[in-house]
């Protein structure tokens, strides 16, 4: 496969970016630290400023799968998933003014402590267990994504890229706790924003400006935002994108330990609310930016790289675009690859910390209290927190090697994983917040029945794939429509995709 590769200057910028962000995050986590208790490792002693918390929330939301997957979605299928941005803005105010005050005033460490106080301990451990499993699967896809991108533009093998990425974020998460995660997220988010702006700016200028990008995308049906059909067999409609994403984001904001744990690290409710509102504003802008990257990639390639077999998977379009546009600018490709990795490091580090928190708070402490009739000591809790961070980091690295076979495309893989479990979990939290007459038996049975239905739909979508052909691709002055049975392309990457009736 013909491809440009990173030069020595790019490697230097890439390595320095990762070392600087991880090292600086560790330094700030230890600077003026009063203790190394489990509360410090998991909640930063509730001393964080709202701005780094905002950027950390943003980094967790805009993971590497989104940066790689959304431009590929736009390039090959058009912009019919744009209603996701609208639904996101309907969820954030509920999170800021309903969820945050509830959790903060209860002084929770684990989001699932709420389920015990509202329902019962059985509901709590069931929800925590389901979330932990889905988070591990999600992490495998998130870590695999940038490793795939890195192997596309370097001679480094994919397994080595996965292991190196996983080790880096596991180490600073173990040592620095949530404070290191938040500060590192902040720096990584700044790098990511700069990288995306540079790539979009230079890419659009090489096509002839954003006006030319828009016109080419419009001429080839890449800017049709709304498909109003009610036919569930259509891959993306307004209704499936809006309502499916609304449920998914309810799960993210209402029951996702990664997000809720950050709400708890600031000193008061008002700062937590400000961090969410700011995050909502910045996220909307950045999602639009990655959509524009998809239009730029389509406009830039007069001869589509998939048809030329310069890539094997749709999700490789961003690293390929990066090298074709900036490959001759020493250092810039390395910076933008660091931006893609930054998103993965953020997601993995925050998730590893959250999994350690859930395991300690929801399982170990209650079990220890039941067995020994006393609370777990602070010293032992700190050691267990560090140990669990190492364990879950290692598990994530192992699962990433199976990510290639979990789903065909990153954006679909992450969406499927979150929707299978996120919907049932969002439901049990929403019932707790807004329906006071729901009891423990109703919450538990509803969550499990919903999970069974979600698994049935998700697994059925994998087994019985519905062909979703890509939009016509450019070949000079002509367009080419890929036949659904064309043997020259590997099925399951672009030609066939997993279709789900519900997201």
């Amino acid at each position: 496969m013909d491809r440009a590769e990173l030069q020595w200057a790019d490697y230097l910028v890439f390595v320095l970016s990762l070392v600087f962000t991880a090292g600086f995050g560790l330094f700030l986590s230890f600077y003026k630290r009063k203790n190394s208790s489990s509360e410090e490792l998991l909640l930063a002693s509730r001393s964080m400023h709202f701005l780094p918390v905002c950027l950390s929330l943003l980094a967790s939301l805009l993971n590497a799968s989104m940066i790689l997957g959304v431009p590929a979605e736009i390039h090959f299928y058009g912009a019919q998933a744009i209603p996701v941005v609208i639904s996101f803005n309907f969820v954030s105010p509920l999170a800021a003014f309903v969820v945050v005050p509830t959790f903060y005033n209860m002084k929770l460490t684990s989001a699932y402590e709420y389920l015990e106080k509202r329902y019962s301990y059985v509901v709590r451990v069931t929800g925590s267990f389901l979330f932990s499993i889905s988070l591990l699967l999600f992490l495998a896809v998130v870590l695999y994504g940038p490793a795939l991108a890195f192997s596309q533009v370097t001679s480094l093998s994919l397994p080595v890229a996965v292991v190196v990425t996983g080790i880096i974020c596991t180490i600073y998460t173990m040592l620095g706790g949530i404070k290191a995660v938040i500060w590192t997220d902040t720096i990584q988010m700044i790098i990511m924003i700069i990288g995306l702006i540079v790539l979009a700016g230079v890419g659009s200028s090489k096509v002839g400006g954003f006006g030319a990008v828009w016109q080419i995308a419009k001429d080839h049906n890449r800017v049709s935002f709304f498909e109003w059909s009610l036919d569930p067999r259509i891959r993306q409609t307004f209704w499936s994108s809006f309502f499916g994403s609304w449920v998914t984001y309810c799960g993210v904001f209402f029951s996702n330990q990664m997000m809720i744990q950050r709400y708890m690290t600031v000193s008061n409710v008002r700062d937590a609310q400000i961090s969410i509102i700011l995050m909502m504003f910045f996220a909307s802008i950045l999602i639009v930016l990655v959509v524009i990257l998809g239009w730029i990639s389509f406009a830039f390639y007069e001869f589509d790289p998939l048809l030329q077999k310069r890539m094997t998977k749709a999700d490789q379009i961003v690293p390929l675009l990066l090298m074709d546009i900036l490959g001759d600018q020493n250092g810039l490709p390395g910076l933008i690859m660091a931006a893609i990795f930054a998103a993965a490091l953020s997601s993995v580090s925050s998730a590893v910390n959250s999994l350690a928190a859930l395991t300690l708070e929801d399982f170990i402490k209650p079990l220890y209290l039941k067995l020994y009739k006393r609370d777990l000591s602070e010293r032992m809790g700190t050691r267990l927190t560090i140990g669990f961070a190492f364990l879950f980091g290692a598990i994530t690295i192992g699962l990433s090697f199976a990510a290639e076979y979990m789903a065909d495309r990153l954006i679909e893989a992450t969406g499927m994983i979150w929707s299978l479990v996120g919907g049932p979990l969002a439901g049990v939290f929403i019932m707790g917040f807004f329906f006071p007459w729901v009891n423990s038996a109703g919450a538990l049975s509803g969550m499990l029945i919903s999970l069974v239905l979600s698994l049935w739909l998700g697994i059925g979508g994998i087994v019985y794939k519905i062909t979703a052909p890509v939009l016509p691709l450019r070949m000079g002055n002509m367009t080419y429509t890929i036949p659904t049975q064309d043997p020259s392309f590997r099925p399951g990457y672009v030609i066939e995709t997993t279709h789900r009736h519900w997201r």
Side-chain angles (χ1 to χ4, degrees):
M1 181 169 58
D2 178 31
R3 69 182 184 186
E5 292 195 355
L6 296 179
Q7 304 301 313
W8 69 268
D10 301 313
Y11 284 109
L12 181 62
V13 171
F14 178 81
V15 172
L16 288 177
S17 297
L18 293 184
V19 170
F20 173 75
T21 54
F24 193 60
L26 272 177
F27 168 76
L28 289 175
S29 71
F30 285 104
Y31 181 66
K32 292 185 177 180
R33 175 183 283 190
K34 297 180 180 179
N35 56 67
S36 297
S37 64
S38 59
E39 183 183 23
E40 174 69 27
L41 291 173
L42 298 177
L43 296 177
S45 299
R46 304 182 190 270
S47 61
M48 296 300 299
H49 189 272
F50 67 81
L51 187 56
V53 171
C54 163
L55 292 175
S56 182
L57 289 168
L58 186 62
S60 293
L61 188 69
L62 300 179
N63 53 70
S65 295
M66 181 173 289
I67 295 173
L68 295 172
V70 170
E73 172 76 17
I74 301 300
H75 183 106
F76 293 105
Y77 294 98
Q80 292 175 353
I82 284 294
V84 169
V85 180
I86 303 173
S87 67
F88 166 75
N89 285 276
F90 275 87
V91 177
S92 300
L94 284 176
F97 298 106
V98 177
V99 177
V100 165
T102 301
F103 284 153
Y104 198 93
N105 293 330
M106 295 174 71
K107 300 295 181 184
L108 303 180
T109 299
S110 164
Y112 295 91
E113 291 179 67
Y114 169 79
L115 296 183
E116 181 178 8
K117 296 179 183 297
R118 174 63 178 82
Y119 301 114
S120 67
Y121 180 68
V122 174
V123 177
R124 172 184 177 179
V125 295
T126 303
S128 182
F129 176 76
L130 292 176
F131 174 78
S132 298
I133 296 298
S134 67
L135 186 55
L136 282 171
L137 296 175
F138 168 78
L139 281 180
V141 177
V142 167
L143 186 57
Y144 170 79
L148 172 66
F150 196 62
S151 65
Q152 168 75 8
V153 296
T154 71
S155 57
L156 188 66
S157 67
L158 182 59
V160 173
V162 168
V163 172
V164 170
T165 308
I167 289 175
I168 289 173
C169 58
T170 300
I171 289 175
Y172 73 72
T173 305
M174 285 172 53
L175 299 177
I178 190 67
K179 187 180 287 188
V181 171
I182 290 176
W183 280 117
T184 306
D185 285 352
T186 300
I187 302 168
Q188 290 167 344
M189 198 66 220
I190 294 172
I191 294 174
M192 185 169 71
I193 292 171
I194 293 172
L196 291 175
I197 291 174
V198 169
L199 182 57
V202 177
S204 62
S205 67
K206 290 201 172 187
V207 176
F210 181 73
V213 171
W214 176 266
Q215 190 60 50
I216 294 172
K218 183 178 179 181
D219 291 343
H220 293 83
N221 199 30
R222 260 66 181 182
V223 297
S224 298
F225 300 123
F226 304 111
E227 170 58 65
W228 298 103
S229 173
L230 296 176
D231 188 344
R233 295 170 297 179
I234 297 178
R235 184 173 178 274
Q236 290 279 9
T237 67
F238 172 84
W239 312 108
S240 64
S241 295
F242 180 84
F243 290 107
S245 298
W246 187 86
V247 172
T248 298
Y249 283 120
C250 279
V252 169
F253 284 102
F254 288 19
S255 62
N256 190 312
Q257 176 68 19
M258 292 192 301
M259 308 294 280
I260 293 168
Q261 195 170 338
R262 281 159 178 71
Y263 307 159
M264 303 297 104
T265 59
V266 295
S267 58
N268 55 67
V269 172
R270 178 177 172 274
D271 282 356
Q273 292 172 327
I274 291 174
S275 68
I276 293 177
I277 298 301
L278 284 177
M279 183 267 297
M280 174 183 69
F281 173 74
F282 289 131
S284 299
I285 294 176
L286 288 177
I287 291 173
V288 172
L289 181 59
V290 294
V291 167
I292 291 174
L293 275 182
W295 289 330
I296 291 172
S297 71
F298 183 81
F300 179 79
Y301 288 111
E302 185 177 353
F303 295 89
D304 196 274
L306 181 68
L307 296 177
Q308 293 182 310
K309 299 186 179 180
R310 296 183 62 202
M311 53 190 245
T312 58
K313 296 187 180 183
D315 301 300
Q316 293 173 322
I317 191 68
V318 171
L320 186 64
L321 178 70
L322 163 65
M323 296 309 301
D324 287 343
I325 289 178
L326 298 173
D328 58 345
Q329 304 293 320
N330 288 339
L332 277 179
L335 175 66
I336 298 176
M337 283 304 302
I340 295 174
F341 263 75
L345 290 174
S346 167
S347 297
V348 174
S349 60
S350 58
V352 165
N353 188 268
S354 296
L355 286 167
L358 289 177
T359 305
L360 181 67
E361 297 293 330
D362 294 338
F363 299 96
I364 301 301
K365 284 187 175 180
L367 182 61
Y368 187 90
L369 179 62
K370 184 175 181 180
L371 292 176
Y372 297 100
K373 309 303 180 184
R374 65 177 186 273
D375 291 332
L376 185 70
S377 69
E378 190 60 50
R379 184 178 181 183
M380 181 59 68
T382 302
R383 290 179 176 178
L384 287 173
T385 300
I386 296 173
F388 286 135
F390 172 79
L391 174 64
F392 288 118
I395 292 174
T396 298
I397 293 172
L399 287 175
S400 296
F401 291 105
E404 183 176 6
Y405 309 102
M406 292 169 62
D408 300 333
R409 298 174 62 248
L410 288 174
I411 197 67
E412 294 184 348
T414 52
M416 179 171 63
I417 290 169
W418 278 125
S419 61
L420 288 180
V421 178
L425 290 179
V428 76
F429 275 89
I430 289 172
M431 286 191 294
F433 286 127
F434 300 107
F435 301 95
W437 56 83
V438 176
N439 58 22
S440 175
L444 181 63
S445 60
M447 179 169 56
L448 294 178
I449 292 172
S450 176
L451 177 65
V452 170
L453 291 175
S454 296
L455 289 172
W456 174 58
L457 291 169
I459 295 172
I462 295 173
V463 174
Y464 301 101
K465 293 182 179 180
I466 296 179
T467 300
V470 303
L471 295 175
L473 302 175
R474 301 176 69 198
M475 287 298 289
N477 295 325
M478 303 173 61
T479 58
Y480 182 79
T481 301
I482 299 177
T484 56
Q485 301 301 324
D486 188 340
S488 64
F489 293 92
R490 295 176 65 187
Y493 290 131
V494 174
I495 302 167
E496 294 182 354
T497 60
T498 302
H499 177 80
R500 299 184 306 280
H501 293 275
W502 291 0
R503 295 195 62 184

